[in-house]
Amino acid sequence: MKPPDACQRKAVAAARASFRRLMRAKAYAQALGRLEPLLQQCGALIWWLDAYRIRNELALVNYKLGRTGECQRVLQPLVHYATLPPEKLRERFAPIDAEMFYPELKATRLTLKLCNANQR
């Protein structure tokens, strides 16, 4: 089965690049609109690490928009991995996957702290 055109690697990369430009311009609502449909339409069809990165990016833009509940919701599937120490991560993933995954886990941990700090 072939994924829809919007879920092809080049289209995903283009959407993420557009998102980053909008974030740099502080056009947070437009950035959210650019990336949120991508996760909804393609989250289960794209490379697992791209989906993870998109969740981190969506959480950050939700945080910037003051939507801490949505920030936490977007990150919920990642919380389990974010709590794993590096040695457990290496046990669960192939070495190269763990190496690529670790920076994303650090981003998830930071964004979770931001989202949770605003809940108090």
Side-chain angles (χ1 to χ4, degrees):
M1 229 167 37
K2 181 182 175 191
D5 289 344
C7 302
Q8 297 293 326
R9 185 172 287 280
K10 285 184 180 182
V12 171
R16 291 183 66 224
S18 173
F19 169 83
R20 286 189 296 275
R21 281 192 298 277
L22 290 165
M23 287 294 285
R24 280 192 298 276
K26 298 185 186 208
Y28 301 131
Q30 291 101 326
L32 179 69
R34 185 68 180 111
L35 210 53
E36 202 167 43
L38 184 64
L39 183 63
Q40 292 168 354
Q41 295 169 0
C42 306
L45 302 173
I46 59 178
W47 186 42
W48 67 273
L49 194 53
D50 283 341
Y52 198 101
R53 288 174 177 143
I54 290 167
R55 284 189 176 280
N56 273 331
E57 292 165 344
L58 278 173
L60 183 60
V61 74
N62 275 296
Y63 166 75
K64 295 284 189 179
L65 289 168
R67 300 172 60 193
T68 54
E70 189 62 17
C71 176
Q72 292 170 337
R73 187 195 68 74
V74 167
L75 289 177
Q76 191 56 47
L78 314 180
V79 170
H80 169 72
Y81 294 114
T83 60
L84 289 177
E87 58 276 0
K88 291 288 184 191
L89 184 65
R90 286 188 288 275
E91 288 173 10
R92 292 184 182 220
F93 291 92
I96 189 69
D97 289 341
E99 288 299 315
M100 290 186 300
F101 198 24
Y102 194 68
E104 295 307 316
L105 287 175
K106 287 172 41 177
T108 301
R109 291 174 185 138
L110 175 62
T111 307
L112 277 170
K113 285 181 186 177
L114 292 171
C115 293
N116 291 332
N118 276 358
Q119 291 290 69
R120 295 178 184 138

